Amino acid sequence: MTTAKPLALGCVADDYTGASDLANTLTKAGLRTVQTIGVPAPDLPLPETDAVVVALKSRSIPAPEAVARSREAEAWLRQRGAAHVMFKVCSTFDSTDAGNIGPVADALREAAGEAIALVTPAFPETGRSVYQGNLFVGALPLDESPLKDHPLNPMRDANLVRVLARQSASAVGLIDMATVAKGPEAVAARLDALAAGGKGAAIADAIFDRDLETLGRAIVGRRVSVGASGLGLGLARALAADGRGTRDAAGAAVGEPVGGYAACLAGSCSQATLGQVAAAEALMPVLHLDAGRLLAEPEAVIAEALTFARERIAAGPVLIASSAEPEAVRALQSRHGSEAAGHAVEAALSAIAEGLVASGVRRLVIAGGETSGAAVDRLGLRAFLVGPEIAAGVPVLRSAGRPEPMLLALKSGNFGGPDFFARALDMMG
Ligand SMILES: Nc1ncnc2c1ncn2[C@@H]1O[C@H](COP(=O)(O)OP(=O)(O)OP(=O)(O)O)[C@@H](O)[C@H]1O
Ligand SMILES: O=C(O)[C@@H](O)C(=O)CO
């Protein structure tokens, strides 16, 4: 990576859509940002940038591997001058009692030589708020939201002090709203008091962007933090205010149209994505994959999906979806196991992505974090420049380091409105 000035901010994201979400937020807040896929190889030419988000696919892998990959990314960011490294996690705190938020946060805090790390997934733009340590998705506590049915990590407890403590070696404290409302100095003092009392992590309340700006100002001079894009917003605004940003950062040029065909893939089973797939039926040909048959005879299902696409993409975009309602997902998982079913479907969708690109697709919309990660890895994409925002948390991305550029949209499962696929394709045209 060739960049002259030291990075204002380094970020390590635990999935690709989350990385895009954060890169979008940082760009809008005034930091020119590049998203890389993994730690970039030395030969990867990248523009001068204020921030780098290193995207990993580490949310649902064994914790020791997630820790190793995250520490490698953190070290790379420090070498490029990042004084602060933020570990980007899901705004719905997607994790299990095995991790990986706790183990990775512990490791990055230790690597940074910090006594305590502030942690908050609050992201008001998408309706995520934290109060008394409890995470709300809209008006619902996390454990009453659709996230309770997540295929890989169903969230069954809204109290993040408890959730993080179960997966962390650190004792976990709380920075409550009353403290946040007093301003950054009060937050910093509370952090130091918790550290003195033996806490290694502190869940911070936040409901509005102003709360995140307070948190950003409180920790911008420290070396590590953990959060979703809301905390990224707070840090970016603090850094931009200190002159560390770029005036025209928002919506970095996506460059000339990339041409080629367009296609959409959906592996997310979130309620938002299910609604988007349903809305797409009126706009483009949609193929619903039979996940049960896909596990039994993947090659046949992949070949049929690519035939479906090849017969139609010259006339316009198509959508290929494995997305299903929770009860259907649970039925498949009960027969094959959650991880095995998930990984098999991801592998099939990534093979379809490869076949689509081989058939001339250069504009690709993908719904789902794990699904996006599998497809981007299969396509060998190495980095992205951040373009205009399609929907909250989802920018247009232009591939970097690829002979024939592509445009992508990597949509977190819960993000976007019913017209997301249409909006994305329109902005990538
Ligand atoms: N019909 C299905 N039955 C069972 N599992 C499925 C089915 N379709 C997709 N999956 C799996 O469900 C998981 C969906 O995870 P993914 O991260 O892609 O979406 P998401 O969790 O909604 O998005 P995000 O991580 O951005 O919130 C993947 O492992 C995918 O392979
Ligand atoms: O923070 C979020 O909700 C998203 O960026 C995400 O991480 C989904 O995988």
Side-chain angles (χ1 to χ4, degrees):
M1 173 177 174
T2 56
T3 181
K5 65 180 182 181
L7 293 178
L9 179 64
C11 305
V12 181
D14 66 355
D15 83 342
Y16 293 8
T17 50
S20 298
D21 169 19
L22 177 59
N24 175 57
T25 297
L26 298 180
T27 302
K28 291 198 302 177
L31 295 186
R32 182 171 295 173
T33 304
V34 166
Q35 173 181 343
T36 70
I37 303 302
V39 174
D43 69 335
L44 185 61
L46 288 172
E48 184 162 283
T49 187
D50 302 319
V52 172
V53 181
V54 177
L56 305 177
K57 196 167 180 286
S58 59
R59 183 173 294 176
S60 304
I61 64 176
E65 191 179 339
V67 166
R69 292 187 186 181
S70 302
R71 291 194 69 160
E72 181 191 0
E74 185 259 357
W76 183 88
L77 291 164
R78 299 289 186 197
Q79 287 167 6
R80 276 147 189 82
H84 188 102
V85 171
M86 174 187 145
F87 174 34
K88 166 42 176 82
V89 299
C90 190
S91 65
T92 51
F93 220 71
D94 291 16
S95 57
T96 69
D97 287 353
N100 289 329
I101 297 175
V104 173
D106 290 344
L108 295 185
R109 177 175 60 76
E110 181 184 336
E114 292 270 28
I116 192 168
L118 182 145
V119 182
T120 187
F123 189 23
E125 193 173 328
T126 57
R128 277 71 163 154
S129 59
V130 181
Y131 183 67
Q132 293 299 325
N134 294 284
L135 177 54
F136 291 84
V137 179
L140 293 174
L142 177 65
D143 57 332
E144 297 175 24
S145 77
L147 279 300
K148 70 187 187 307
D149 298 319
H150 190 285
L152 297 178
N153 41 254
M155 302 307 291
R156 300 276 163 76
D157 185 355
N159 183 295
L160 298 187
V161 175
R162 286 197 299 260
V163 169
L164 184 57
R166 286 198 292 268
Q167 60 182 281
S168 170
S170 300
V172 182
L174 174 67
I175 302 173
D176 66 6
M177 183 51 70
T179 301
V180 176
K182 292 174 183 167
E185 294 77 15
V187 171
R190 175 68 174 160
L191 269 173
D192 293 338
L194 288 170
K199 307 294 188 193
I203 298 291
D205 282 354
I207 296 175
F208 305 108
D209 283 357
R210 65 174 180 268
D211 301 325
L212 291 153
E213 290 175 2
T214 296
L215 299 179
R217 289 200 304 272
I219 64 170
V220 71
R222 297 176 186 243
R223 287 175 56 77
V224 68
S225 60
V226 181
S229 289
L231 186 60
L233 174 79
L235 284 165
R237 286 184 178 172
L239 288 163
D242 290 346
R244 300 294 305 277
T246 303
R247 291 182 60 79
D248 62 349
V254 184
E256 294 302 311
V258 297
Y261 300 129
C264 306
L265 289 173
S268 167
C269 299
S270 69
Q271 288 304 309
T273 298
L274 291 170
Q276 291 155 0
V277 171
E281 299 272 5
L283 303 170
M284 68 187 88
V286 177
L287 175 66
H288 294 275
L289 300 178
D290 176 338
R293 182 166 168 254
L294 185 151
L295 267 68
E297 42 183 4
E299 296 309 319
V301 173
I302 292 165
E304 289 164 15
L306 289 174
T307 299
F308 169 89
R310 287 174 183 140
E311 291 173 349
R312 294 166 174 84
I313 51 175
V318 301
L319 168 60
I320 297 170
S322 70
S323 310
E325 292 288 348
E327 54 273 15
V329 171
R330 282 193 289 269
L332 189 80
Q333 291 177 334
S334 64
R335 294 198 300 276
H336 299 277
S338 300
E339 286 201 18
H343 292 159
V345 173
E346 288 166 33
L349 287 173
S350 63
I352 292 170
E354 187 176 49
L356 289 171
V357 172
S359 303
V361 167
R362 295 294 178 269
R363 291 165 285 142
L364 188 57
V365 183
I366 306 175
E370 300 296 329
T371 304
S372 296
V376 165
D377 286 349
R378 183 81 177 243
L379 294 173
L381 299 176
R382 302 165 70 190
F384 300 107
L385 307 181
V386 180
E389 181 177 82
I390 301 165
V394 192
V396 175
L397 298 172
R398 185 182 184 97
S399 63
R402 187 180 191 275
E404 288 185 61
M406 290 183 65
L407 294 181
L408 292 98
L410 307 180
K411 184 193 83 78
S412 298
N414 302 302
F415 288 1
D419 65 345
F420 175 80
F421 288 116
R423 281 176 58 83
L425 292 168
D426 181 56
M427 292 181 69
M428 296 160 71

